[in-house]
């Protein structure tokens, strides 16, 4: 069977833009990982790697082997001939970038032994690379600047410059010890890279030609031909980061998105990851965008599950792939709104023949526990500030309040409006408004077959996954290859081998993911305290949280505002939800960007305890209290609140609510009284309405928030943003967030707690 096929109609010639291990002497290049060339090249390469090389010329045999991490490398070099030459060098190299990677500094310690003297000569050789522009690199190194031992090594000064004309051609000028002048011409063509070295002035009269080519995504091999036209040397280099230009022929790439895709990857201890993190998915798409061979991509959504915000991030990358000239097919075994949103702009949707097509609209509900608790003799004593703060109602009421039903109903309709209008564009005929009406009619049927999805235009054909490559070739290129296959690229955090000389600015990424509790608070505060010393230009706050502990939210907000004195701008990106305590935290940012369908707001607070005295009486338990003051046992679950205690609790919540509305007013510029009267009290709304109200500053996703980071941090468009993801973890579920939290609720009976949280409102994406 043909597992890999070269497609003549869109095969392309790509340049294998990888380093030339055989030309390590040019000080303005990264050559040989910086292990044997300019030590400043160690950090300029920006990838862990290893190198083995062999040369034989003029009777001298030279063997080199070395390896490097991001900032440190080690190497061994051995040279000998039949006339008694016997030399060995052990190198230890260090290097680091400065000023957004426009300057690189490094040094190498060498232990040198030779048959010409006894003992070991120790030397230190520094190096410098300066890249004022993305096309120009200036280099300097001084071999043996410091030396100690029997040989008294001569200092050798090296300087050079390289100009890159695009990705295909480069010219380097190199001078050694101000005497030997050389020129290197580089050309990338048809998957090979050629380097021709020629002497210009001095005693060096050696010409050489090096031919380099990639072997897969991580290996490069080179062959060196000297001026006698004989191949007398070669090398093999390895780099941990994958070269996106390694494949010379076009291919069909399958991307498996066949499990939960979450904001932060979830790990089940020793069982490994139970979801795919969004950053891994984004990283894979960046590989696809930079690799010219991946012109036809199959997104395999078998088993896919994600919220709308993540689906929209995938959809944005699909649009980028198509803008680059790529073709994208989505494969599904379960057709649902969230999957269709991710595939809203693909070229074709292929559905497994027996798949379900679920188009039911949005719905969700609250489970009310009051009746059960009454039978048990347990009374939940909660107070709240905000008539729309619905999270308290399942424990204090028998049914949904008028305010909650009105607010949640409006929220559902607004989110559904975004979904149906987005997907209406995929229907074959009619305007968007007409097609949206057709989708409404479709929602009246509880179960629809895959064939039904095809009839209305939400699917193009029904096939099994192994039939998709043949279908793609036949559909797009008229090539009949029924047994064609694809290569699978799994989402990962593998770095891209990027030799771009563009400057890079570091931006920290901090996730507020899941329910906010003391565990999350501790982790986030620790990271925020470290931030000023990490050399970042800005902080991107990615939020996908319904809120949580009110006091923890306030502490995180305070830590964000503390960053103002360090002049670190902050942008908040709200994904699927940024409500209640999470919205409180978002107000600590300079700008808030939200998805149009994100759940935003819920400005309010509730808190209290449970009174289990009735239950204790039913089961025959009695508690006697000893106390020093009237209210020493106020937090006990063995008695109800007194009127005085209720008043004190309400006073605290009123005060916190006033702080909450003040924080929102400060962040948005809306008068505090308007925040309270129009948007407070626990009201929730979708992102596009929040933008109209002024509660968020803009609409969009992750990349839109990065654009805002550029503006606030004055990062030029010519400078790449390097995301530095801070230590983030999923938090445990906080009490009362959903039906699974009753155990936590019972465990915390003896505590008076305060929450700024919105329960999960929308199910069935």
């Amino acid at each position: 069977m043909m597992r890999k096929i070269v497609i003549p109609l869109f095969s392309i010639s790509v340049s294998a833009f990888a380093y030339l291990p055989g030309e390590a002497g040019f000080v303005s290049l990264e050559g040989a990982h910086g292990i044997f060339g300019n030590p400043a090249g160690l950090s300029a390469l920006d990838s862990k790697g290893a190198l083995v090389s062999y040369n034989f010329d003029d009777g001298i045999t030279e063997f080199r082997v070395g390896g490097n991490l991001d900032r440190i490398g080690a190497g061994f070099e051995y040279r000998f001939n039949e006339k008694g030459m016997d030399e060995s060098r052990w190198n230890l190299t260090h290097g680091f970038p400065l000023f957004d990677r426009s300057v690189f500094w490094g040094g190498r310690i060498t232990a040198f032994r030779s048959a010409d003297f006894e003992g070991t000569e120790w030397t230190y050789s520094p190096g410098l690379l300066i890249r004022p522009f993305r096309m120009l690199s200036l280099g300097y190194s001084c071999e043996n600047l410091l030396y100690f031992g029997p040989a008294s090594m001569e200092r050798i000064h090296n300087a050079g410059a390289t100009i890159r004309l695009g990705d295909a051609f480069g010219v380097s000028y190199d001078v050694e010890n101000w005497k030997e002048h050389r020129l290197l011409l580089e050309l990338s063509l048809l998957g090979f890279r050629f380097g021709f070295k020629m002497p210009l002035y001095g005693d060096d009269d050696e010409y050489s030609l090096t031919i380099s080519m990639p072997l897969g995504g991580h290996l490069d091999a080179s062959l060196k031909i000297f001026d006698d036209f004989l191949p007398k040397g070669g090398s093999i280099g390895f780099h941990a980061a994958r070269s996106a230009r390694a494949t010379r022929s076009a291919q069909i790439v399958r991307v498996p998105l066949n499990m939960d895709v979450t904001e932060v990857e979830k790990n089940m201890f020793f069982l490994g990851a139970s979801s795919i993190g969004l950053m891994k998915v984004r990283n894979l798409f960046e590989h696809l965008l930079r690799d010219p061979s991946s012109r036809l991509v199959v997104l395999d959504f078998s088993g896919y599950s994600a919220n709308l915000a993540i689906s929209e991030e995938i959809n944005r990358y699909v649009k980028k792939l198509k803008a680059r000239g790529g073709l994208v097919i989505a494969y599904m075994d379960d057709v649902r709104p969230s999957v269709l949103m991710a595939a809203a702009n693909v070229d074709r949707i292929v559905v497994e023949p027996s798949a379900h097509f679920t188009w039911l609209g949005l719905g969700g509900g609250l489970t009310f526990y009051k009746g059960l608790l009454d039978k048990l003799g347990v009374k939940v004593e909660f107070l709240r500030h905000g008539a729309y703060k619905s999270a308290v109602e399942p424990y204090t009421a028998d049914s949904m309040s008028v305010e909650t039903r009105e607010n949640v109903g409006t929220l559902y309709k607004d989110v559904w409006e975004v979904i149906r209008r987005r997907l209406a564009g995929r229907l074959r005929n009619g305007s968007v408004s007409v097609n949206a009406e057709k989708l409404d009619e479709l929602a009246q049927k509880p179960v629809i077959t895959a064939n039904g999805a095809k009839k209305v235009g939400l699917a193009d054909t029904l096939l099994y996954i192994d039939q998709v490559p043949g279908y793609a070739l036949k559909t797009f290129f008229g090539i009949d290859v029924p047994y064609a296959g694809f290569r699978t690229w799994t989402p990962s955090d593998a770095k891209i081998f990027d030799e771009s000389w563009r400057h890079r600015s570091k931006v920290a990424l901090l996730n507020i993911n899941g329910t906010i509790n003391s565990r999350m608070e501790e982790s986030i505060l620790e990271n925020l305290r470290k931030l000023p010393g990490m050399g970042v230009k800005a902080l991107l706050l990615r939020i996908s949280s319904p809120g949580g502990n009110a006091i923890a939210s306030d502490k995180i907000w305070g830590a964000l505002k503390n960053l103002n004195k360090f002049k670190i701008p902050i942008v908040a990106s709200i994904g699927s939800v940024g409500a209640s305590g999470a919205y409180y935290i978002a107000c600590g940012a300079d700008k808030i960007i939200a998805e149009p369908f994100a759940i935003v707001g819920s400005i309010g607070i509730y808190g209290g305890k449970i009174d289990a005295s009735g239950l204790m009486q039913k089961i025959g338990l009695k508690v006697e209290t000893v106390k020093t003051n009237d209210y020493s046992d106020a937090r006990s679950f063995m008695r109800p609140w007194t009127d005085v205690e209720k008043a004190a609790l309400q006073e605290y919540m009123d005060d916190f609510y006033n702080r909450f509305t003040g924080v929102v007013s400060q962040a948005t510029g809306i008068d505090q009284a308007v925040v309270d009267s129009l948007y407070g009290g626990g009201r929730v709304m979708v992102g596009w309405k929040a933008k109209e109200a002024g509660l968020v500053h803009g609409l969009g996703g992750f990349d839109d928030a990065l654009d805002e980071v550029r503006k606030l941090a004055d990062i030029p468009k010519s400078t790449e943003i390097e995301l530095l993801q801070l230590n983030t973890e999923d938090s445990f579920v906080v009490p009362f967030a959903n039906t699974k939290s009753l155990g936590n609720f019972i465990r915390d009976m003896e505590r008076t707690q305060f929450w700024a949280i919105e329960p999960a409102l929308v199910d069935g994406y």
Side-chain angles (χ1 to χ4, degrees), residues 230-543:
L230 295 176
K232 295 182 178 179
S235 62
I236 294 179
F238 166 81
H239 43 84
R242 183 184 179 278
S243 175
R245 299 177 179 240
T247 308
R248 293 188 297 277
S249 59
Q251 56 188 325
I252 302 174
V253 177
R254 169 183 168 264
V255 177
L257 298 170
N258 51 0
M259 60 192 301
D260 288 350
V261 181
T262 54
E263 292 281 350
V264 179
E265 189 167 285
K266 298 178 181 178
N267 287 290
M268 299 292 289
F269 301 103
F270 58 88
L271 296 178
S274 61
S275 71
I276 305 171
L278 176 60
M279 288 303 104
K280 284 188 176 181
V281 175
R282 285 176 56 86
N283 184 63
L284 174 61
F285 274 107
E286 288 296 333
H287 279 272
L288 293 170
L289 285 169
R290 298 189 191 207
D291 194 324
S293 69
S294 57
R295 304 301 293 269
L296 204 164
V297 178
V298 178
L299 301 179
D300 186 356
F301 288 104
S302 304
Y304 173 81
S305 176
N307 61 46
L308 288 182
I310 289 175
S311 294
E312 184 64 6
E313 290 294 332
I314 294 172
N315 179 50
R316 291 188 179 105
Y317 268 103
V318 168
K319 289 191 282 188
K320 288 182 180 181
L321 285 173
K322 292 182 64 179
R324 193 207 63 177
L327 298 164
V328 185
I329 292 177
Y331 179 80
M332 307 174 186
D333 64 356
D334 188 9
V335 186
R336 293 171 285 108
S338 63
V339 192
L340 290 169
M341 284 285 281
N345 286 278
V346 301
D347 296 284
R348 296 289 188 276
I349 293 179
V350 180
V351 176
E352 196 270 337
S354 60
H356 283 165
F357 175 28
T358 306
W359 190 260
L360 303 176
L362 299 182
L366 294 175
T367 302
F368 291 85
Y369 304 103
K370 187 176 182 301
L372 172 63
L373 296 174
D374 287 345
K375 291 181 179 180
L376 295 174
V378 175
K379 182 180 180 182
V380 177
E381 296 204 304
F382 275 171
L383 301 176
R384 60 179 170 176
H385 193 123
Y388 294 89
K389 203 68 180 170
S390 61
V392 66
E393 292 182 358
Y395 307 96
T396 60
D398 294 316
S399 61
M400 194 179 295
S401 66
V402 174
E403 293 85 356
T404 298
R405 184 173 294 278
E406 172 194 347
N407 196 200
V408 174
T410 301
L411 183 72
Y412 285 162
K413 291 177 182 177
D414 291 340
V415 174
W416 185 246
E417 177 69 12
V418 175
I419 295 173
R420 74 188 189 101
R421 284 195 168 271
R422 182 70 55 80
L423 296 179
R426 288 208 64 87
L427 299 187
R428 294 191 177 94
N429 300 307
S431 66
V432 171
S433 59
V434 172
N435 285 343
E437 293 177 2
K438 289 182 179 179
L439 289 176
D440 285 341
E441 295 174 4
L442 204 62
Q444 303 306 312
K445 300 180 180 180
V447 177
I448 306 173
T449 64
N451 197 48
K454 180 182 176 183
K455 287 180 179 179
V456 298
L458 287 178
D460 294 288
T461 189
L462 308 182
L463 296 170
Y464 295 99
I465 183 63
D466 290 323
Q467 297 173 302
V468 174
Y471 164 79
L473 296 179
K474 183 72 173 178
T475 301
F476 297 124
F477 307 106
I479 303 174
D480 191 8
V481 189
Y483 298 107
F486 40 61
R487 297 189 64 179
T488 298
W489 289 16
T490 304
S492 74
D493 53 10
K495 291 174 64 175
I496 298 173
F497 187 74
D498 185 5
E499 281 194 314
S500 168
W501 290 354
R502 295 174 66 181
H503 300 165
R504 301 184 205 170
S505 290
K506 287 185 179 179
V507 172
L509 170 63
L510 179 65
N511 285 83
I512 307 293
N513 186 67
T515 308
I516 300 163
N517 57 19
S518 57
R519 177 169 167 261
M520 179 189 287
E521 168 208 328
E522 182 179 350
S523 174
I524 290 174
L525 294 184
E526 181 181 353
N527 280 289
L528 291 178
R529 292 186 186 109
K530 294 177 182 177
L531 201 61
M534 298 174 69
V536 300
K537 292 294 183 70
L539 171 64
L540 177 58
L541 200 64
R542 177 68 175 180
I543 297 174

